[in-house]
Amino acid sequence: MSKRSLAARAESWPIKGSFRISRGAKTTAEVIIVEITEGQVTGRGECVPYARYGESIRSVLGQISSVRAFVADELTRDGLLTVLPPGAARNAIDCALWDLEAKLTGNSVAKIAGIRAPGPVVTAYTLSLDTPERMGEAAKAEQHRPLLKLKLGGAGDLERVAAVRASAPRARLIVDANEAWDADMMVDYCPRMADFGVELIEQPLPAGDDAILGDIDRPVPICADESAHDTATLNEVAALYDFINIKLDKTGGLTEALLLAEAARGYGLGVMVGCMLGTSLGMAPALYLSSFARFIDLDGPLLLEKDRENGLTFDGSILHPPTSALWG
């Protein structure tokens, strides 16, 4: 009999109200949980299949199932990089392997990885795309938070940011257009974003249609999200962007994310650590990138009706490291 077994299942977590970006809205967070068991010890990982990258619950479960025999033969994290491409499936398996090793050895993930253990960090709090009036109202309710992230959608974005700034005058702001701007908007909007005190503009242009960034003045730093996935894409990204948003569901897990964060530093790129909309189990591994990052955006659990048991502790926008009961 094999020493290790792999199990995977889909879960649905209700969102508070709805969550809207330029590509649409959702009312639930759809996640997949992977559990890898050796003896009496189980390691867990969570991923979020993302349609923007051609993923679905069904396709990701199929990818996970395809490596069951490799996991039974004690597939390593480095080996996993060669049998699955970057994406949600590899992320859940990779994070489960990290968690399993930590529990089997009694060592923290930080010690295993040879990195600094995460401490409390400030996370951004995301305001969904909406009308300027409603985003202003949402900002007023959250004006006590030190860092707000605004989901934008193209036309009307200046009015949206103006409404938020008026309602939350002391909050730091970052904005995320999710590929909704065009070249003319870039030229028009960027100086105004600087006037509003915006500190970062995330993925303004469609991935693959962002070459013009090399020729546009940028009073506000530009961050790659959909344009940046793993170390293989870093060289072309570095010529156009100032920051990259590292998400484990894009890199395919913490193993590749750590490599990407270190490589980004070598290119002089700033780092933002981001997330898909999921539970604390999906956020916990990403916290181990915090020492590389200027911006942390791991507010997924705050946007849900409820989080899973033993979830991360939030003190307002202060996010505390996970306990071993959750992960690592």
Side-chain angles (χ1 to χ4, degrees), residues 180-225:
W181 292 3
D182 58 27
D184 290 337
M185 289 176 181
M186 278 293 302
V187 173
D188 292 342
Y189 287 1
C190 283
R192 295 295 304 280
M193 294 295 160
D195 293 340
F196 291 129
V198 170
E199 298 182 20
L200 193 72
I201 300 172
E202 189 178 345
Q203 197 65 46
L205 298 171
D209 193 23
D210 51 4
I212 64 169
L213 290 176
D215 301 316
I216 292 178
D217 290 335
R218 52 190 72 193
V220 180
I222 309 297
C223 179
D225 184 0

Side-chain angles (χ1 to χ4, degrees), residues 67 75-85 90 93-94 97 252:
V67 299
L75 177 71
T76 65
R77 293 188 303 277
D78 288 340
L80 179 63
L81 299 179
T82 69
V83 299
L84 278 181
R90 198 174 80 185
I93 296 170
D94 180 73
L97 288 171

Side-chain angles (χ1 to χ4, degrees), residues 22 34 36 41 55 113 151 174 208 212 230-232 237 295 300 311 317 328:
S22 61
V34 164
I36 300 177
V41 180
E55 297 175 332
K151 289 292 188 178
I174 56 180
I212 64 169
D230 57 10
T231 51
V237 168
F295 297 98
S317 290

Side-chain angles (χ1 to χ4, degrees), residues 121-157:
V121 297
V122 174
T123 180
Y125 183 85
T126 305
L127 302 183
S128 291
L129 175 65
D130 212 322
T131 65
E133 294 75 18
R134 289 181 178 175
M135 291 188 74
E137 292 170 1
K140 186 174 183 179
E142 304 296 341
Q143 62 179 303
H144 60 284
R145 296 187 182 275
L147 180 62
L148 297 176
K149 177 176 176 177
L150 318 184
K151 289 292 188 178
L152 302 181
D157 282 348

Side-chain angles (χ1 to χ4, degrees), residues 297-319:
D297 178 26
L298 298 175
D299 63 341
L302 294 176
L303 306 177
L304 302 178
E305 287 284 359
K306 66 174 183 177
D307 194 9
R308 66 177 69 251
E309 188 177 357
N310 298 313
L312 293 167
T313 298
F314 292 84
D315 180 11
S317 290
I318 304 297
L319 172 55

Side-chain angles (χ1 to χ4, degrees), residues 49-293:
Y50 197 31
R52 168 65 179 79
Y53 303 133
E55 297 175 332
S56 67
I57 292 291
R58 181 176 180 179
S59 71
V60 171
L61 285 172
Q63 283 185 295
I64 293 168
S65 181
S66 74
V67 299
R68 183 170 277 111
F70 291 100
V71 172
D73 289 336
E74 300 192 24
L75 177 71
T76 65
R77 293 188 303 277
D78 288 340
L80 179 63
L81 299 179
T82 69
V83 299
L84 278 181
R90 198 174 80 185
N91 176 32
I93 296 170
D94 180 73
C95 290
L97 288 171
W98 278 103
D99 189 37
L100 180 65
E101 182 173 349
K103 288 177 167 58
L104 286 172
T105 63
N107 293 320
S108 69
V109 165
K111 183 174 182 180
I112 296 168
I115 58 175
R116 191 173 69 203
V121 297
V122 174
T123 180
Y125 183 85
T126 305
L127 302 183
S128 291
L129 175 65
D130 212 322
T131 65
E133 294 75 18
R134 289 181 178 175
M135 291 188 74
E137 292 170 1
K140 186 174 183 179
E142 304 296 341
Q143 62 179 303
H144 60 284
R145 296 187 182 275
L147 180 62
L148 297 176
K149 177 176 176 177
L150 318 184
K151 289 292 188 178
L152 302 181
D157 282 348
L158 291 179
E159 291 78 10
R160 292 183 176 98
V161 180
V164 169
R165 173 50 78 206
S167 296
R170 297 182 186 85
R172 298 166 56 211
L173 301 181
I174 56 180
V175 302
D176 182 6
N178 286 112
E179 306 178 281
W181 292 3
D182 58 27
D184 290 337
M185 289 176 181
M186 278 293 302
V187 173
D188 292 342
Y189 287 1
C190 283
R192 295 295 304 280
M193 294 295 160
D195 293 340
F196 291 129
V198 170
E199 298 182 20
L200 193 72
I201 300 172
E202 189 178 345
Q203 197 65 46
L205 298 171
D209 193 23
D210 51 4
I212 64 169
L213 290 176
D215 301 316
I216 292 178
D217 290 335
R218 52 190 72 193
V220 180
I222 309 297
C223 179
D225 184 0
E226 285 85 351
S227 291
H229 292 257
D230 57 10
T231 51
T233 64
L234 195 57
N235 186 52
E236 56 194 78
V237 168
L240 302 175
Y241 291 90
D242 307 295
F243 279 74
I244 58 170
N245 187 346
I246 300 179
K247 295 177 179 175
L248 302 193
D249 279 310
K250 291 190 303 177
T251 65
L254 180 59
T255 300
E256 175 71 16
L258 288 168
L259 296 173
L260 179 58
E262 189 62 47
R265 180 181 287 169
Y267 277 96
L269 286 165
V271 170
M272 176 182 186
V273 176
C275 65
M276 304 302 188
L277 190 47
T279 77
S280 283
L281 183 58
M283 309 301 118
L287 264 172
Y288 287 80
L289 299 167
S290 60
S291 63
F292 294 91

